Amino acid sequence: MNTDGVVVGSGSHTYAGVKHAEILAIERAGQRARGATLYINLEPCSHQGRTLPCSDAVIAAGITRVVACMSDPNPLVSGRGFERLRQSDVAVTVGILEEEAKRLNEAFAKYIRQRLPLVTLKAAMTLDGKIAPPPGESRNPTALGAGSSGSGYITSEVARAHVQELRHQHDAILVGVGTVIADDPLLTDRSGRPRRRPLLRVILDSRLRLPLESRVVKTAQDDLLVLCSFAEEKKRKQLQERGVWVEQIPQPTVDGHPDVTAVVKHLGAREITSLMIEGGSMVNWAALSSGFVDKVFFYYAPKILGGTGAVPFSAGAGFGLGEAAQVKSIRLHRFGEDFAVEGYLRDPYV
């Protein structure tokens, strides 16, 4: 923005485009960048990675002031970009809209510090915590991640549309094979918005029960990953011939199911920075008990199923009251008559 308050250049980083946001903004501004103020949500980088240091580009462009929401969450470089700017007499202001910027950059912060994806556990349920009616009473009795019920879906169309927005924000989505067998979902991002990389669809399938005729297999285009504990060679080859990645997790749990801890580390090695789990009761419990869930996004519909046969949000042993997972920094969202609770189990910046 120049001294007259006119925006002379703007940009956003898409990763696939390589160039950082400030570089794009400077290029679009051209000579008008001289003497201008740069507004950015994250500290300009001071080191060379895939690109040259952005702080050097800011200085070379003649920008006289930088207003940034937050410093770089990478402890190895945090503050160095600001220091380089100040050494070149560029005025620096930090901390405006910091909380909003932290939410925007939380997946990057988690990955750059730990090389692990930010893990969000998503579920749709009734007010009494049921994600499906008793098996046999629903057309999709174990399609728990979809929020289905005997009359169609637990949550409203508005809430389900928002799920697509959540999927769009993530690099990968994970479900158990039971959900695929029961509901035959596509597990795609149907937000209609462009992505920086294809949404990776991940299936936990301990013994390769994934049907070859399922929609996820039929639509696989190097975007479907099946993680198993044991792989029968014939089935492995059949899936691979259909464009499905099949990989074994080397650390199965005692019951033979893929270990969520190993799964998260495996995805981190694939440079997956954010993962959304849309599992059923058993997957939900496995994720929670692993201690690797960073945040939750729970949709609630104003309905009560009751009874002991309806499927609860989480199966498994459960926590004792003293060990209960504590959700912090809660935000509430409204979707028509439905609402959602968003909160954190772990701070992605720690």
Side-chain angles (χ1 to χ4, degrees), residues 19-333:
K19 292 181 180 180
H20 290 181
E22 50 267 58
I23 301 299
L24 293 172
I26 290 170
E27 289 180 349
R28 290 166 182 166
Q31 289 300 315
R32 294 176 298 173
R34 191 161 299 278
T37 297
L38 173 67
Y39 293 88
I40 190 168
N41 78 84
L42 188 65
E43 175 182 3
C45 63
S46 59
H47 62 286
Q48 182 168 346
R50 298 196 306 161
T51 64
L52 294 174
C54 291
S55 54
D56 289 355
V58 171
I59 295 167
I63 291 171
T64 56
R65 184 186 180 211
V66 171
V67 178
C69 298
M70 59 179 287
S71 59
D72 194 317
N74 184 348
L76 299 178
V77 299
S78 180
R80 293 184 181 180
F82 294 145
E83 181 181 359
R84 183 172 295 188
L85 293 173
R86 291 184 175 114
Q87 288 174 347
S88 298
D89 295 325
V90 177
V92 177
T93 302
V94 186
I96 296 175
L97 299 177
E98 184 176 14
E99 288 304 311
E100 291 85 345
K102 280 189 171 183
R103 287 183 179 273
L104 181 66
N105 295 306
E106 61 188 12
F108 168 70
K110 172 73 180 294
Y111 184 78
I112 203 67
R113 288 166 174 255
Q114 303 182 35
R115 296 297 169 182
L116 296 173
L118 181 84
V119 179
T120 299
L121 181 60
K122 169 263 175 184
M125 65 189 90
T126 60
L127 290 179
D128 56 339
K130 307 297 185 180
I131 53 179
E137 296 185 20
S138 169
R139 63 180 178 85
N140 299 315
T142 57
L144 312 182
S148 59
S149 71
S151 61
Y153 294 91
I154 287 177
T155 51
S156 66
E157 184 177 349
V158 177
R160 297 197 306 276
H162 186 262
V163 172
Q164 300 303 321
E165 293 299 317
L166 279 188
R167 289 183 179 181
H168 179 76
Q169 296 168 19
H170 289 78
D171 287 345
I173 178 176
L174 180 148
V175 301
V177 70
T179 295
V180 178
I181 292 173
D183 197 36
D184 195 21
L186 279 170
L187 303 176
T188 52
D189 171 5
R190 297 187 288 280
S191 67
R193 298 165 60 188
R195 297 183 58 88
R196 74 180 184 94
R197 64 194 295 183
L199 177 66
L200 180 66
R201 300 175 289 175
V202 183
I203 312 295
L204 292 187
D205 185 3
S206 58
R207 297 182 180 274
L208 290 189
R209 295 188 295 134
L210 181 64
L212 297 177
E213 65 276 10
S214 62
R215 294 199 294 170
V216 288
V217 172
K218 288 182 176 179
T219 58
Q221 294 182 335
D222 292 328
D223 62 351
L224 181 61
L225 171 64
V226 178
L227 298 178
C228 59
S229 302
F230 308 96
E232 192 272 320
E233 192 59 27
K234 179 180 178 181
K235 185 64 173 290
R236 177 200 287 268
K237 288 183 178 179
Q238 289 175 327
L239 288 169
Q240 290 176 334
E241 288 171 355
R242 290 163 171 79
V244 179
W245 288 314
V246 180
E247 298 175 9
Q248 287 183 256
I249 297 299
Q251 303 168 13
T253 58
V254 292
D255 61 3
H257 290 84
D259 179 15
V260 172
T261 300
V263 168
V264 173
K265 291 180 178 180
H266 186 84
L267 294 176
R270 276 180 159 264
E271 298 187 347
I272 296 297
T273 65
S274 54
L275 168 69
M276 185 165 73
I277 299 176
E278 291 197 29
S281 281
M282 292 305 298
V283 171
N284 289 342
W285 169 245
L288 284 173
S289 61
S290 75
F292 273 82
V293 174
D294 295 291
K295 63 185 297 186
V296 297
F297 206 106
F298 293 162
Y299 297 87
Y300 288 91
K303 301 174 183 178
I304 299 174
L305 281 176
T308 58
V311 182
F313 154 72
S314 173
F319 296 115
L321 188 58
E323 296 79 36
Q326 184 69 43
V327 183
K328 301 177 181 179
S329 302
I330 290 176
R331 297 178 71 192
L332 299 179
H333 306 269

